[in-house]
Amino acid sequence: MSGNNKISTLRGLVIFLYRFFILRRWCHRNPKQKYQKCPSHGLHQAHDLSPHTLVFNVEGALLKSNSLFPYFMVVAFEAGGVIRSLFLFILYPFICLMSYEMGLKTMVMLSFFGVKKESLRAGKSVLPKYFLEDVGFEMFEVLKRGGKRIGVSDLPQVMIDGFLKDNLEIEVVVGREMKMAGGYYLGIMEAKQKRELAFDKLVQEERVSSGHVIGITSFHSSSHRSLFSQFCQEIYFVRNSDKKSWESLPRDQYPKPLIFHDGRLAIKPTPLNTLILFMWAPYAAVLAAARIVVGLNLPYSVANPFLAFGGIHLTLTVSNHNGLVSSGRNKGCLFVCNHRTLLDPLYISYALRKKNIKAVTYSLSRLSELLAPIKTVRLTRDRVTDGQAMERLLSQGDLVVCPEGTTCREPYLLRFSPLFSEVSDVIVPVAIDSHVSFFYGTTASGLKAFDPIFFLLNPFPSYTVQLLDPISGGHSSTCREPDNGKSKFEVANHVQHTIGNALGFECTNLTRRDKYLILAGNNGLVNKK
């Protein structure tokens, strides 16, 4: 027998033994089970999945990435700060050498130990953004066609519950509970047996109600294959090679639009991105300090070139506006803009090269108020008092107001408060957009004093300011004119849609209160004391 024939015979024997012993061991538990390797093809061929219950593994069958490190890094950074996240990053090479279960437990310990339960909102306000960006479109299409969906995960329940139930509308989520003491996480998950008991109870109930349970899990996870084989009549396996060909879930296919999300990180903290962030941090601190010194102390004509050289990009677009700004009116112009960061009024003043412009805001930290190169006035949320204050400021010069009352990172506009339409007969809509690469310059649950600093920590932050056609008595009168027939609400909605059309943003009826209830669990009011 030749050498090639011996090799072919040996290869065939190995394949035979694998199929006979290994696969037979998995199939022997339930001879009625069906096993498929490609759920995206096999389940798409099924005509109707609505009568069936779909049980899927979250990280093995729904998410494209095989690494759980970015999600734990988000928790470590947002809940524990820079030191905790640095510690997790340093230990990650050693975690990669551990078994899957041991590595998972280590990352849970590093991310959660000592974190107060009430202060941890990353699962509902931060992580959904990163999870949604990692969802495979093909698998999402399969899950949409199913009846009841049950998501099973090795991750802590607190990390995935909000994402699956609120964003993907999954009916049941089975994760692993965290042990606690005195309202603080111990960094230890409950034993797997407890999750399996809960899973067993759910599947038995579904068998009684629907009669058929289809499982979708990773082909490379022996623990999940064993778990699903015990309870599912039909199982589909997902291979890593299948996931590489999946497309990401488009934003317009999200079951619910992602309008609000919190957290400082604007980049997904993969191991490589995390390394870049920590390498950039020392240079970012020096650069941000230099930007602050230049922006606060030098005249606009001198500061603008320095800031542009330092990486800050400001783009100004003017639409038939020059005559109105330079006109000798008794009252100043009222600039009404959407709200992207706390620096919006400052960039409008930079664009207009006017330092005597004033701004009103609903919430501003004392530090930001002291450092601001333009005058800022806090509003009290009392309509009469705030209206009088805005009238007084307009009599002194130009005024900037952000009627949304809070910032929004995504391409949406919140509802505009109509107060501005009552104080001026000249309204200049200003469309503002900003882009960052590393850090968001806004927060709902963090310290607002650091918002401008985080924005300036980015290597190339950019701002776009568009001065749109003014709304005046001769164009589209405000509600101060007696004969125009427009209410203050119609004027506010008109300005909102004008800015939305200029930016390509979608207008909503959501308010500041809606945002803070979702992200911070409060109504967004600032304690006067």
Side-chain angles (χ1 to χ4, degrees):
M1 182 180 292
S2 64
N4 291 335
N5 291 335
K6 289 181 180 180
I7 294 175
S8 300
T9 303
L10 181 60
R11 184 183 301 168
L13 180 61
V14 171
I15 294 175
F16 171 77
L17 292 175
Y18 172 79
R19 291 178 176 176
F20 184 79
F21 290 104
I22 304 299
L23 293 185
R24 189 181 177 203
R25 184 186 66 174
W26 290 107
C27 298
H28 182 67
R29 297 180 180 179
N30 189 349
K32 295 182 179 181
Q33 287 177 334
K34 296 181 181 179
Y35 292 85
Q36 301 288 339
K37 287 187 178 181
C38 189
S40 59
H41 290 92
L43 288 178
H44 272 304
Q45 294 175 356
H47 296 289
D48 187 12
L49 295 175
S50 58
H52 307 311
T53 298
L54 299 184
V55 182
F56 66 96
N57 174 240
V58 177
E59 54 270 21
L62 177 65
L63 303 180
K64 295 175 57 181
S65 174
N66 295 319
S67 174
L68 300 179
F69 172 82
Y71 311 116
F72 285 104
M73 177 56 69
V74 169
V75 175
F77 184 83
E78 300 296 341
V82 177
I83 301 300
R84 186 189 293 261
S85 57
L86 178 61
F87 196 44
L88 174 61
F89 176 69
I90 293 174
L91 292 180
Y92 183 65
F94 302 98
I95 295 175
C96 294
L97 301 177
M98 302 177 185
S99 65
Y100 172 79
E101 182 67 15
M102 182 57 66
L104 178 63
K105 290 180 178 179
T106 304
M107 288 193 290
V108 169
M109 173 63 72
L110 294 173
S111 302
F112 282 89
F113 178 74
V115 175
K116 193 174 182 179
K117 180 182 179 181
E118 294 180 356
S119 63
L120 180 65
R121 299 192 60 84
K124 289 184 175 293
S125 61
V126 184
L127 284 173
K129 170 184 178 293
Y130 300 99
F131 279 130
L132 284 169
E133 292 173 351
D134 199 23
V135 170
F137 178 63
E138 288 78 0
M139 184 55 62
F140 176 76
E141 287 291 304
V142 171
L143 294 178
K144 278 203 317 183
R145 298 174 54 228
K148 188 173 183 179
R149 286 82 50 88
I150 300 177
V152 182
S153 176
D154 287 331
L155 295 173
Q157 183 88 9
V158 69
M159 291 180 64
I160 60 170
D161 193 73
F163 153 64
L164 291 175
K165 289 184 177 180
D166 298 338
N167 297 96
L168 289 189
E169 300 179 340
I170 301 300
E171 291 79 4
V172 182
V173 179
V174 182
R176 299 175 69 173
E177 297 294 340
M178 299 284 295
K179 293 184 178 181
M180 300 181 59
Y184 290 85
Y185 290 108
L186 297 178
I188 302 174
M189 295 184 292
E190 297 285 355
K192 275 188 173 183
Q193 289 75 10
K194 187 174 181 179
R195 183 196 63 174
E196 292 177 1
L197 289 175
F199 180 71
D200 184 13
K201 181 179 179 181
L202 283 171
V203 173
Q204 296 298 339
E205 293 175 354
E206 292 304 317
R207 283 182 175 179
V208 174
S209 59
S210 65
H212 195 70
V213 179
I214 300 176
I216 311 173
T217 185
S218 173
F219 183 75
H220 304 277
S221 176
S222 59
S223 61
H224 289 149
R225 288 197 299 182
S226 175
L227 180 64
F228 279 56
S229 298
Q230 296 177 35
F231 306 112
C232 302
Q233 289 88 2
E234 189 173 349
I235 301 178
Y236 290 82
F237 292 127
V238 178
R239 297 170 297 187
N240 291 337
S241 58
D242 298 328
K243 297 167 73 171
K244 291 180 180 179
S245 62
W246 287 358
E247 296 181 2
S248 298
L249 180 64
R251 291 184 63 92
D252 58 1
Q253 294 294 322
Y254 288 0
K256 294 181 180 179
L258 183 66
I259 300 177
F260 301 127
H261 59 87
D262 205 8
R264 291 294 189 183
L265 295 178
I267 186 173
K268 184 177 181 179
T270 61
L272 178 59
N273 289 341
T274 304
L275 175 62
I276 294 174
L277 285 174
F278 282 118
M279 293 178 62
W280 168 249
Y283 303 98
V286 175
L287 183 59
R291 289 168 172 172
I292 293 175
V293 171
V294 170
L296 295 180
N297 296 284
L298 297 182
Y300 287 156
S301 58
V302 181
N304 280 342
F306 274 98
L307 293 176
F309 179 77
I312 297 180
H313 300 285
L314 173 61
T315 303
L316 172 65
T317 303
V318 181
S319 177
N320 299 327
H321 184 72
N322 294 332
L324 181 60
V325 173
S326 59
S327 62
R329 303 178 59 87
N330 295 327
K331 296 180 65 174
C333 290
L334 179 63
F335 297 94
V336 178
C337 66
N338 59 305
H339 206 3
R340 301 298 279 179
T341 75
L342 292 178
L343 298 175
D344 293 340
L346 181 60
Y347 273 96
I348 291 178
S349 70
Y350 266 93
L352 297 175
R353 295 178 180 269
K354 299 175 67 175
K355 276 197 172 183
N356 60 344
I357 198 169
K358 300 176 182 63
V360 292
T361 179
Y362 286 101
S363 62
L364 187 69
S365 69
R366 182 63 61 184
L367 177 62
S368 299
E369 190 174 5
L370 292 175
L371 293 178
I374 62 174
K375 183 178 180 180
T376 58
V377 178
R378 295 190 185 191
L379 297 179
T380 63
R381 298 189 182 277
D382 178 82
R383 194 177 71 86
V384 176
T385 303
D386 293 341
Q388 293 174 351
M390 293 173 65
E391 288 267 13
R392 183 175 64 256
L393 293 172
L394 273 173
S395 65
Q396 300 172 3
D398 297 338
L399 179 65
V400 177
V401 61
C402 305
E404 288 176 289
T406 187
T407 57
C408 185
R409 298 172 176 177
E410 297 299 323
Y412 297 92
L413 295 183
L414 307 187
R415 189 177 69 191
F416 276 27
S417 170
L419 179 61
F420 69 88
S421 62
E422 303 177 24
V423 299
S424 176
D425 54 0
V426 176
I427 297 174
V428 181
V430 182
I432 291 180
D433 199 6
S434 63
H435 295 280
V436 295
S437 53
F438 286 172
F439 304 102
Y440 286 117
T442 60
T443 182
S445 57
L447 295 175
K448 292 187 176 296
F450 293 138
D451 285 0
I453 297 176
F454 271 98
F455 180 83
L456 296 175
L457 287 175
N458 289 281
F460 301 105
S462 65
Y463 246 91
T464 301
V465 178
Q466 300 181 51
L467 300 180
L468 306 178
D469 292 334
I471 297 175
S472 62
H475 182 185
S476 178
S477 295
T478 68
C479 60
R480 290 176 58 88
E481 298 292 337
D483 300 328
N484 61 16
K486 285 189 175 183
S487 69
K488 59 182 180 181
F489 301 103
E490 292 175 323
V491 174
N493 292 336
H494 173 66
V495 175
Q496 182 198 37
H497 283 84
T498 299
I499 295 176
N501 292 335
L503 294 171
F505 288 4
E506 182 177 341
C507 298
T508 73
N509 285 321
L510 298 173
T511 64
R512 171 190 175 89
R513 184 174 183 273
D514 297 321
K515 170 186 171 179
Y516 277 85
L517 284 175
I518 293 173
L519 300 183
N522 56 58
N523 57 11
L525 296 180
V526 179
N527 194 325
K528 292 182 180 180
K529 180 179 179 180

